[in-house]
Amino acid sequence: MMAAESSATENYPADEHLETLALDSSPPASVAASTDPLLHPPPSPSSTSSHPAAAANHDAFIDEDGEADFVPVLPTPDAPVISREPSPEFYQITVSDPRKHEEAATGAAGVIPGSGSYFSYLVTTQIADGGEFCVRRRFRDVVALADRLAATHRGLFVPARPDKNIVEGHVMQRHDFVNQRCVSLQRYLCRVAAHPIVGRSDDFHTFLTEPSGIPTSEGESPRHNPAITATTPTAVTTPTTPAKGGRDIFGMFKDLKQTVANGLMAVRPPPVEEETDAKFLAHKAKLEELEQQLTATSQQAVALVKAHDDLKTTTALLGMTFLKLAKFEKGQSTCTPQRSRAADINNFANAAVKVSRSQSSLDAEIVKHLETIHKYLRMMTSVRNAFTDRSNALLHIQSLSSDLFTLHSRVAKLESVSSRGIDQERSRYQKVAELKETIRTAEDAKSHARKEYELIKENNMNEIKRFNKEIRQDLVGMMKGFVINQVEYSDKIATIWAKLAEETKGYADRSS
């Protein structure tokens, strides 16, 4: 099993490293910079948080601890992803070689074409000592892994698995769909491996190395169940029993009843369990605002890439058009000036084609750098899930508190009523004893739920600290790489045009 490094599991102090960097607090360097849609996307109508904790610290978000700037290694579908804190064993993970398998389909499933088949994928994991593991997995194995990780790492920013496209799933023979799923599965597994805690879990190790994998389960992730509690209160990340698939319907309706009661009752039964961590609420509000900013920036990034692609296409068409014109002039030339003009037109056409190729290479670099924005936008799903874990855990405690209040009220009512006979007195004492035993059981359950809630709170704050640090490093690295590529390719393009201007300066001399 994978060893957990101390640096990956250290408890970050809640009061340190949570200072934040202004999203847009510095004055623009120029009018052009202040109006650039990529650097300053238009604010969305809901971008201003109304939460009082957020208003107290509106301009601060990203962690800044004075460390040297870090240029990240950005993942691409064709290249392996290296963890920023590599696992003690795993070096890189690739998903390839999709194979179609037939299985018996009964009932309605047999009517839909392609529903009686599925694809498996070869998951290859290279380890640090040079060895490798190769196992075949189907998509439901990935679902089972994601459910297990979500259940055993509550409060952490567990990467979200790819969604299963139901419509495309019935036409799995599509080549594009299968290749896209390979890419999405590889990206997901690499993101899990990059997590300093989840990437070192036993379940993930088993998924990558054991041919049998982990047991699959039907139903949704336990993350959706507000009543789920850990059997061992000492560690959220160390399960003692296999995670159950599906929802606890009874517990879900109990918590739903408690939610309705909270909204309808004028006086809640004491004690009232509420989120009182002002620091957490402030960071939660800032993360919600960050998601809105990332969404707007992502749209502007897509528009920028499209504009660059249109410029590249137009430049290439211009070059090809002038090549045809040069060929025509050369074929129709009858004197030296015409042949000279045809050669100059050909030089211009070749320069335009070279520029379009440089623009194409620049576009690829832009896409690679701006992928950082989309990566963190996808990560916001994991952030919301971790905060949902916290809300569900608190709701479960409140539901148990309400049950205890009701039980204590019943005991007090029974003890205050006088019995008319010995049999009634004996029955009353028996009911009181049963209720007190139920109260002890409920108090134990509440104690376990409280411990798990505290662990989820600690996980949330540790993950916020890590997230703030990493997003600052990645965004700084993205901007550095973007600017460096812009300067590099601008110099190349300027050199091409300068050479053409030197070759055709005779026209300028004659016109002057």
PDB file of all heavy atoms in Angstrom, residues 226-242:
ATOM      1  N   PRO A 226     -27.340  12.863   3.186  1.00  0.00           N
ATOM      2  CA  PRO A 226     -27.027  13.737   4.312  1.00  0.00           C
ATOM      3  C   PRO A 226     -26.876  13.000   5.618  1.00  0.00           C
ATOM      4  O   PRO A 226     -26.302  13.525   6.564  1.00  0.00           O
ATOM      5  CB  PRO A 226     -28.212  14.699   4.363  1.00  0.00           C
ATOM      6  CG  PRO A 226     -29.167  14.278   3.325  1.00  0.00           C
ATOM      7  CD  PRO A 226     -28.664  13.073   2.646  1.00  0.00           C
ATOM      8  N   ALA A 227     -27.413  11.775   5.710  1.00  0.00           N
ATOM      9  CA  ALA A 227     -27.411  11.088   6.993  1.00  0.00           C
ATOM     10  C   ALA A 227     -26.243  10.146   7.169  1.00  0.00           C
ATOM     11  O   ALA A 227     -26.127   9.486   8.190  1.00  0.00           O
ATOM     12  CB  ALA A 227     -28.719  10.301   7.159  1.00  0.00           C
ATOM     13  N   ILE A 228     -25.361  10.046   6.166  1.00  0.00           N
ATOM     14  CA  ILE A 228     -24.274   9.087   6.268  1.00  0.00           C
ATOM     15  C   ILE A 228     -23.292   9.491   7.352  1.00  0.00           C
ATOM     16  O   ILE A 228     -22.975  10.653   7.520  1.00  0.00           O
ATOM     17  CB  ILE A 228     -23.533   8.926   4.925  1.00  0.00           C
ATOM     18  CG1 ILE A 228     -22.547   7.780   4.992  1.00  0.00           C
ATOM     19  CG2 ILE A 228     -22.845  10.194   4.522  1.00  0.00           C
ATOM     20  CD1 ILE A 228     -21.953   7.413   3.657  1.00  0.00           C
ATOM     21  N   THR A 229     -22.832   8.567   8.130  1.00  0.00           N
ATOM     22  CA  THR A 229     -21.859   8.829   9.188  1.00  0.00           C
ATOM     23  C   THR A 229     -20.774   7.783   9.134  1.00  0.00           C
ATOM     24  O   THR A 229     -21.003   6.644   8.741  1.00  0.00           O
ATOM     25  CB  THR A 229     -22.517   8.795  10.580  1.00  0.00           C
ATOM     26  OG1 THR A 229     -23.147   7.529  10.756  1.00  0.00           O
ATOM     27  CG2 THR A 229     -23.563   9.889  10.730  1.00  0.00           C
ATOM     28  N   ALA A 230     -19.585   8.157   9.551  1.00  0.00           N
ATOM     29  CA  ALA A 230     -18.465   7.226   9.564  1.00  0.00           C
ATOM     30  C   ALA A 230     -18.564   6.313  10.768  1.00  0.00           C
ATOM     31  O   ALA A 230     -18.951   6.718  11.858  1.00  0.00           O
ATOM     32  CB  ALA A 230     -17.147   7.990   9.600  1.00  0.00           C
ATOM     33  N   THR A 231     -18.200   5.053  10.605  1.00  0.00           N
ATOM     34  CA  THR A 231     -18.249   4.126  11.723  1.00  0.00           C
ATOM     35  C   THR A 231     -17.092   4.334  12.665  1.00  0.00           C
ATOM     36  O   THR A 231     -17.156   3.939  13.821  1.00  0.00           O
ATOM     37  CB  THR A 231     -18.217   2.679  11.187  1.00  0.00           C
ATOM     38  OG1 THR A 231     -17.042   2.511  10.388  1.00  0.00           O
ATOM     39  CG2 THR A 231     -19.448   2.408  10.318  1.00  0.00           C
ATOM     40  N   THR A 232     -16.005   4.907  12.176  1.00  0.00           N
ATOM     41  CA  THR A 232     -14.855   5.174  13.026  1.00  0.00           C
ATOM     42  C   THR A 232     -14.663   6.668  13.162  1.00  0.00           C
ATOM     43  O   THR A 232     -14.321   7.329  12.188  1.00  0.00           O
ATOM     44  CB  THR A 232     -13.580   4.545  12.428  1.00  0.00           C
ATOM     45  OG1 THR A 232     -13.805   3.155  12.250  1.00  0.00           O
ATOM     46  CG2 THR A 232     -12.390   4.770  13.342  1.00  0.00           C
ATOM     47  N   PRO A 233     -14.841   7.254  14.347  1.00  0.00           N
ATOM     48  CA  PRO A 233     -14.776   8.706  14.468  1.00  0.00           C
ATOM     49  C   PRO A 233     -13.378   9.260  14.481  1.00  0.00           C
ATOM     50  O   PRO A 233     -13.194  10.454  14.491  1.00  0.00           O
ATOM     51  CB  PRO A 233     -15.469   8.953  15.822  1.00  0.00           C
ATOM     52  CG  PRO A 233     -15.219   7.705  16.606  1.00  0.00           C
ATOM     53  CD  PRO A 233     -15.229   6.599  15.609  1.00  0.00           C
ATOM     54  N   THR A 234     -12.354   8.430  14.464  1.00  0.00           N
ATOM     55  CA  THR A 234     -10.987   8.939  14.596  1.00  0.00           C
ATOM     56  C   THR A 234     -10.391   9.362  13.284  1.00  0.00           C
ATOM     57  O   THR A 234      -9.428  10.101  13.254  1.00  0.00           O
ATOM     58  CB  THR A 234     -10.083   7.857  15.223  1.00  0.00           C
ATOM     59  OG1 THR A 234     -10.157   6.679  14.422  1.00  0.00           O
ATOM     60  CG2 THR A 234     -10.550   7.556  16.632  1.00  0.00           C
ATOM     61  N   ALA A 235     -10.940   8.914  12.138  1.00  0.00           N
ATOM     62  CA  ALA A 235     -10.347   9.273  10.853  1.00  0.00           C
ATOM     63  C   ALA A 235     -11.384   9.113   9.764  1.00  0.00           C
ATOM     64  O   ALA A 235     -11.946   8.040   9.585  1.00  0.00           O
ATOM     65  CB  ALA A 235      -9.122   8.408  10.534  1.00  0.00           C
ATOM     66  N   VAL A 236     -11.617  10.146   9.031  1.00  0.00           N
ATOM     67  CA  VAL A 236     -12.554  10.081   7.919  1.00  0.00           C
ATOM     68  C   VAL A 236     -11.985   9.264   6.787  1.00  0.00           C
ATOM     69  O   VAL A 236     -12.691   8.600   6.059  1.00  0.00           O
ATOM     70  CB  VAL A 236     -12.900  11.504   7.439  1.00  0.00           C
ATOM     71  CG1 VAL A 236     -13.731  11.465   6.167  1.00  0.00           C
ATOM     72  CG2 VAL A 236     -13.645  12.249   8.531  1.00  0.00           C
ATOM     73  N   THR A 237     -10.682   9.274   6.610  1.00  0.00           N
ATOM     74  CA  THR A 237     -10.048   8.638   5.451  1.00  0.00           C
ATOM     75  C   THR A 237      -9.701   7.175   5.685  1.00  0.00           C
ATOM     76  O   THR A 237      -9.057   6.570   4.878  1.00  0.00           O
ATOM     77  CB  THR A 237      -8.751   9.386   5.108  1.00  0.00           C
ATOM     78  OG1 THR A 237      -7.879   9.381   6.240  1.00  0.00           O
ATOM     79  CG2 THR A 237      -9.068  10.807   4.705  1.00  0.00           C
ATOM     80  N   THR A 238     -10.122   6.586   6.809  1.00  0.00           N
ATOM     81  CA  THR A 238      -9.813   5.188   7.081  1.00  0.00           C
ATOM     82  C   THR A 238     -11.098   4.426   7.334  1.00  0.00           C
ATOM     83  O   THR A 238     -11.575   4.350   8.465  1.00  0.00           O
ATOM     84  CB  THR A 238      -8.886   5.060   8.307  1.00  0.00           C
ATOM     85  OG1 THR A 238      -7.747   5.879   8.088  1.00  0.00           O
ATOM     86  CG2 THR A 238      -8.440   3.614   8.500  1.00  0.00           C
ATOM     87  N   PRO A 239     -11.730   3.879   6.300  1.00  0.00           N
ATOM     88  CA  PRO A 239     -12.992   3.183   6.495  1.00  0.00           C
ATOM     89  C   PRO A 239     -12.772   1.830   7.132  1.00  0.00           C
ATOM     90  O   PRO A 239     -11.753   1.174   6.923  1.00  0.00           O
ATOM     91  CB  PRO A 239     -13.528   3.028   5.064  1.00  0.00           C
ATOM     92  CG  PRO A 239     -12.304   3.001   4.220  1.00  0.00           C
ATOM     93  CD  PRO A 239     -11.305   3.894   4.907  1.00  0.00           C
ATOM     94  N   THR A 240     -13.739   1.378   7.935  1.00  0.00           N
ATOM     95  CA  THR A 240     -13.657   0.062   8.556  1.00  0.00           C
ATOM     96  C   THR A 240     -14.585  -0.932   7.889  1.00  0.00           C
ATOM     97  O   THR A 240     -14.443  -2.131   8.061  1.00  0.00           O
ATOM     98  CB  THR A 240     -14.011   0.156  10.039  1.00  0.00           C
ATOM     99  OG1 THR A 240     -15.324   0.715  10.162  1.00  0.00           O
ATOM    100  CG2 THR A 240     -13.025   1.045  10.766  1.00  0.00           C
ATOM    101  N   THR A 241     -15.596  -0.426   7.137  1.00  0.00           N
ATOM    102  CA  THR A 241     -16.515  -1.285   6.426  1.00  0.00           C
ATOM    103  C   THR A 241     -16.689  -0.758   5.018  1.00  0.00           C
ATOM    104  O   THR A 241     -16.530   0.433   4.783  1.00  0.00           O
ATOM    105  CB  THR A 241     -17.892  -1.317   7.125  1.00  0.00           C
ATOM    106  OG1 THR A 241     -18.403   0.008   7.183  1.00  0.00           O
ATOM    107  CG2 THR A 241     -17.777  -1.892   8.524  1.00  0.00           C
ATOM    108  N   PRO A 242     -17.015  -1.642   4.051  1.00  0.00           N
ATOM    109  CA  PRO A 242     -17.214  -1.167   2.684  1.00  0.00           C
ATOM    110  C   PRO A 242     -18.335  -0.151   2.616  1.00  0.00           C
ATOM    111  O   PRO A 242     -19.335  -0.239   3.319  1.00  0.00           O
ATOM    112  CB  PRO A 242     -17.569  -2.451   1.909  1.00  0.00           C
ATOM    113  CG  PRO A 242     -17.026  -3.558   2.750  1.00  0.00           C
ATOM    114  CD  PRO A 242     -17.133  -3.092   4.163  1.00  0.00           C
TER     115      PRO A 242
END
